[in-house]
């Protein structure tokens, strides 16, 4: 009689997660702490919106520190976790993860400061302070592309470690993440071009068609690896795990394409 694979118990799974947390390097622990703080900051600004009111959309809104805080916090937590599966040098990963952590703080801080100043965070060049913040956000965005692009290259250059579906989840997640970053870069470039030609108001409305794609694709690097980890705890065969992750990756690509179509249709 063939042996039936037994799924790990919840207690054993929790113990493995705890052990992994204890083995985490200082830069990983710092990244996770900062990521959690950014999520809390975002949720705090949702409370501020509920109390203070104001518009939800537009260049000046409490929506921005809320969505950016939660989004950057979750992305930082995801990257700190998933890059542990990449075959990349420990020193290089420490430097890149440290840069990414600092950059996430810079981006969220700039947007949050402008929200409290009741000023637009992007494309606002009216005062020296506004210009400095807008340009720091643009430079920070470029650094995000470089750092995360380096991680993505590592994911495709060498097969990542991890359970059966994790290599595919990581490669698909990073590929979609790069789509999100490039769509964000395109929005910034378009807005800056409009601002420099004297059409600052148009800059705030010219990027709406890419926002849905940007938002959806950014979090594939968390969703797909998390799914791969979850199915690895089921005791399913490697083939079945890979099939589930492959199907999820295909569905995520369809969702990203639908988000792009929705943005183009409603912009």
């Amino acid at each position: 009689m063939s042996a039936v694979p037994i799924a790990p118990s919840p207690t054993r799974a929790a113990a493995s997660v705890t052990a992994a947390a204890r083995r985490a390097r200082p830069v990983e622990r710092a990244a996770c702490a900062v990521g959690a703080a950014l999520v809390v900051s975002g949720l705090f600004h949702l409370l501020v919106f509920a109390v203070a009111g104001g518009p939800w959309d537009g260049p000046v809104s409490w929506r921005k520190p809320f969505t950016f805080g939660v989004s950057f916090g979750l992305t930082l937590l995801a990257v700190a976790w998933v890059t542990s599966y990449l075959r990349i040098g420990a020193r290089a990963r420490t430097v890149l993860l440290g840069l990414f952590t600092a950059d996430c703080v810079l981006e969220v801080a700039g947007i949050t400061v402008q929200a409290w100043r009741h000023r637009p965070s992007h494309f606002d060049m009216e005062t020296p302070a506004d210009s400095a913040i807008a340009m720091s956000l643009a430079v920070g965005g470029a650094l995000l592309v470089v750092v995360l692009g380096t991680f993505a290259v590592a994911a495709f250059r060498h097969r990542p470690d991890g359970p059966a579906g994790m290599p595919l989840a990581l490669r698909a997640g990073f590929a979609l993440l790069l789509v999100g970053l490039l769509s964000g870069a395109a929005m910034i470039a378009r807005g800056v071009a409009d601002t420099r030609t004297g059409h600052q108001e148009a800059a705030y409305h010219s990027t709406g068609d890419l926002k849905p794609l940007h938002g959806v694709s950014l979090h594939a690097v968390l969703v797909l690896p998390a799914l791969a980890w979850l199915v690895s705890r089921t005791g399913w065969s490697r083939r079945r795990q890979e099939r589930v992750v492959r199907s999820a990756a295909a569905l995520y690509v369809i969702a990203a394409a639908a988000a792009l179509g929705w943005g183009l249709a409603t912009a």
Side-chain angles (χ1 to χ4, degrees):
M1 180 181 296
S2 60
V4 177
I6 300 175
S9 67
T11 302
R12 186 179 300 174
S16 66
V17 172
T18 302
R22 290 174 179 171
R23 292 194 302 268
R25 295 184 178 90
V27 68
E28 295 169 342
R29 291 195 292 268
C32 290
V34 171
L38 293 179
V39 172
V40 170
S41 173
L43 295 176
F44 169 75
H45 285 93
L46 181 61
L47 178 62
V48 172
F49 169 74
V51 174
W56 180 253
D57 294 317
V60 181
S61 168
W62 293 116
R63 168 189 58 83
K64 299 190 75 174
F66 161 60
T67 56
F68 276 75
V70 172
S71 181
F72 269 94
L74 290 176
T75 302
L76 178 54
L77 289 168
V79 169
W81 169 49
V82 302
T83 54
S84 65
Y85 293 106
L86 300 182
R87 296 185 181 181
I88 186 172
R91 181 175 298 179
R93 179 168 175 265
T94 296
V95 171
L96 291 170
L97 192 54
L99 286 173
F100 183 61
T101 301
D103 203 6
C104 288
V105 173
L106 172 67
E107 293 289 314
V108 175
I111 288 159
T112 301
V113 166
Q114 289 298 76
W116 283 98
R117 294 180 68 226
H118 304 290
R119 301 290 300 173
S121 54
H122 294 87
F123 319 134
D124 185 2
M125 307 290 182
E126 291 190 10
T127 69
D130 293 329
S131 297
I133 291 174
M135 291 307 298
S136 68
L137 293 176
V139 172
L143 181 58
L144 290 176
V145 174
V146 172
V147 172
L148 294 175
T150 303
F151 282 136
V153 169
F156 282 92
R157 177 174 293 175
H158 304 289
R159 181 179 174 85
D161 296 323
M166 188 62 74
L168 174 60
L170 287 171
R171 288 172 171 175
F174 272 111
L176 285 161
L177 175 61
L178 288 181
V179 170
L181 291 173
L182 292 175
S183 62
M187 288 191 290
I188 292 174
R190 186 188 301 174
V192 169
D194 287 339
T195 300
R196 288 183 174 177
T197 56
H199 301 89
Q200 185 168 347
E201 188 63 29
Y204 299 130
H205 304 286
S206 65
T207 60
D209 54 347
L210 293 177
K211 283 182 179 179
L213 172 64
H214 179 67
V216 169
S217 55
L218 280 180
H219 297 293
V221 76
L222 171 60
V223 173
L224 295 177
L227 175 64
W229 184 85
L230 286 173
V231 298
S232 73
R233 318 308 296 178
T234 62
W236 292 344
S237 67
R238 292 183 60 87
R239 181 174 297 180
R240 187 175 184 183
Q241 291 179 41
E242 291 172 348
R243 186 165 59 246
V244 169
V245 173
R246 189 180 302 111
S247 298
L251 289 174
Y252 211 110
V253 170
I254 292 172
L260 177 60
W262 172 262
L264 293 174
T266 58

